């Protein structure tokens, strides 16, 4: 689907989606890289949105695809490149480029244009999602409680850990010399178990995963729709 057509469909759908659910968190995965020409603008926009919207769960996922042409991104994670590639298949994206934002695992915004991104956030928020997920952090563990609910098929439950937010000066590549504000980038992201809708408690030891914030993503299999997510410091 051509980009202009996809953009028009996204914007029109968002306008028709009705009022947003108050306090309905939206997961925004930003696939980015320090070396891509348009990524600094996307990272800056994401940092701005983070200050505006407390119910926006932002997961900046730095890819390692621009290392050769754009310089080394010290925040890059192989899982980010793999996850973007998986979305390319599950969402039938006609191109895989950075920057790209994915909202709730369903709504892609390629190129991260501000008007389209805000429309996608509104659309994602208009659709209610799973209730009852509880995530809390103790000194040594991340404690997860999943409610009993009806699922059409088992979901994947992911552990995610984020580094701290920071402003960095890019030292090489085509963006050399730019100072860019980065929301806490994804440091760890992996599946911890499958969930069939039964009530479940799980504690994840944190000793091996030093980070600034931790959370959980509940997602339909095959990088499908995100049913719920939560992040805690």
């Amino acid at each position: 689907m051509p980009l202009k057509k996809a953009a028009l469909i996204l914007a029109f759908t968002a306008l028709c989606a009705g009022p947003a659910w108050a306090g309905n968190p939206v997961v925004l995965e930003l696939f980015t890289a320090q070396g891509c020409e348009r990524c600094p603008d996307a990272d800056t926009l994401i940092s701005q949105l983070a200050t505006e919207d407390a119910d926006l769960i932002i997961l900046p996922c730095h890819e390692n695809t621009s290392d050769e042409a754009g310089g080394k991104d010290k925040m890059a994670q192989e899982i980010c490149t793999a996850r973007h590639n998986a979305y390319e298949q599950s969402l039938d994206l006609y191109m895989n480029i950075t920057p790209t934002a994915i909202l709730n695992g369903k709504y892609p915004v390629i190129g991260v244009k501000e008007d389209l991104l805000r429309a996608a956030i509104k659309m994602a928020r208009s659709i209610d999602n799973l209730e009852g997920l509880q995530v809390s952090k103790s000194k040594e563990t991340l404690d997860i409680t999943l409610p009993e609910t009806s699922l059409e098929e088992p979901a994947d439950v992911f552990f995610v850990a984020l580094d701290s937010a920071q402003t960095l000066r890019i030292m090489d590549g085509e963006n050399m010399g730019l100072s860019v504000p980065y929301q806490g980038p994804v440091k760890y992201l992996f599946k911890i178990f499958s969930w069939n809708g039964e009530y479940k408690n799980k504690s994840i030891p944190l000793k091996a995963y030093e980070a600034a914030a931790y959370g959980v993503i509940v997602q339909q299999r095959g990088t499908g729709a995100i049913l719920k997510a939560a992040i805690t410091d």
Side-chain angles (χ1 to χ4, degrees):
M1 181 184 294
L3 182 57
K4 285 187 177 180
K5 184 177 180 181
L8 288 172
I9 292 173
L10 176 60
F12 178 78
T13 306
L15 290 172
C16 296
W21 292 85
N24 200 14
V26 171
V27 178
L28 190 164
E29 296 179 75
L30 174 66
F31 294 96
T32 185
Q34 284 186 320
C36 84
E37 182 180 2
R38 291 173 292 179
C39 286
D41 288 341
D43 288 301
T44 300
L45 173 59
I46 294 306
S47 294
Q48 175 187 335
L49 291 174
T51 65
E52 297 176 3
D53 191 342
D55 289 319
L56 194 59
I57 297 174
I58 297 176
L59 305 178
C61 223
H62 286 248
E63 299 189 63
N64 55 14
T65 53
S66 66
D67 283 357
E68 292 185 9
K72 181 69 174 178
D73 187 338
K74 295 181 179 179
M75 294 176 285
Q77 303 287 344
E78 289 187 9
I79 184 59
C80 293
T81 305
R83 191 165 171 85
H84 193 180
N85 290 339
Y87 275 127
E88 181 184 15
Q89 299 299 316
S90 64
L91 296 175
D92 196 24
L93 301 179
Y94 69 96
M95 64 173 62
N96 185 336
I97 63 170
T98 52
T100 289
I102 308 289
L103 285 299
N104 281 1
K106 294 178 65 175
Y107 309 113
V109 181
I110 297 173
V112 192
K113 302 293 186 181
E114 182 173 359
D115 55 345
L116 295 180
L117 186 58
R118 290 184 182 276
I121 292 170
K122 180 181 178 182
M123 179 164 61
R125 184 157 286 145
S126 71
I127 300 173
D128 206 2
N129 53 24
L130 176 73
E131 297 294 336
L133 171 67
Q134 297 179 24
V135 177
S136 60
K137 177 180 170 291
S138 66
K139 185 176 181 180
E140 298 180 346
T141 62
L142 185 71
D143 302 313
I144 306 162
T145 299
L146 288 160
E148 183 177 359
T149 191
S150 176
L151 297 176
E152 293 182 1
E153 60 181 4
D156 293 331
V157 179
F158 292 89
F159 170 87
V160 61
L162 306 177
D163 214 337
S164 56
Q166 54 193 300
T167 297
L168 294 177
R169 186 177 179 84
I170 300 176
M171 302 308 295
D172 56 7
E174 59 183 316
N175 293 324
M176 183 172 64
L178 291 180
S179 291
V180 182
Y182 292 105
Q183 282 301 112
V186 169
K187 192 173 182 181
Y188 302 100
L189 176 60
F190 55 85
K191 178 181 171 180
I192 45 180
F193 57 84
S194 293
W195 178 51
N196 61 8
E198 293 182 350
Y199 180 86
K200 187 177 182 70
N201 288 315
K202 180 77 172 179
S203 292
I204 309 297
L206 297 178
K207 185 176 181 180
Y209 308 110
E210 183 178 351
Y214 301 90
V216 169
I217 302 168
V218 183
Q219 186 168 24
Q220 292 177 342
R221 285 182 172 176
T223 49
I226 291 176
L227 305 178
K228 196 71 172 182
I231 296 288
T232 185
D233 294 338

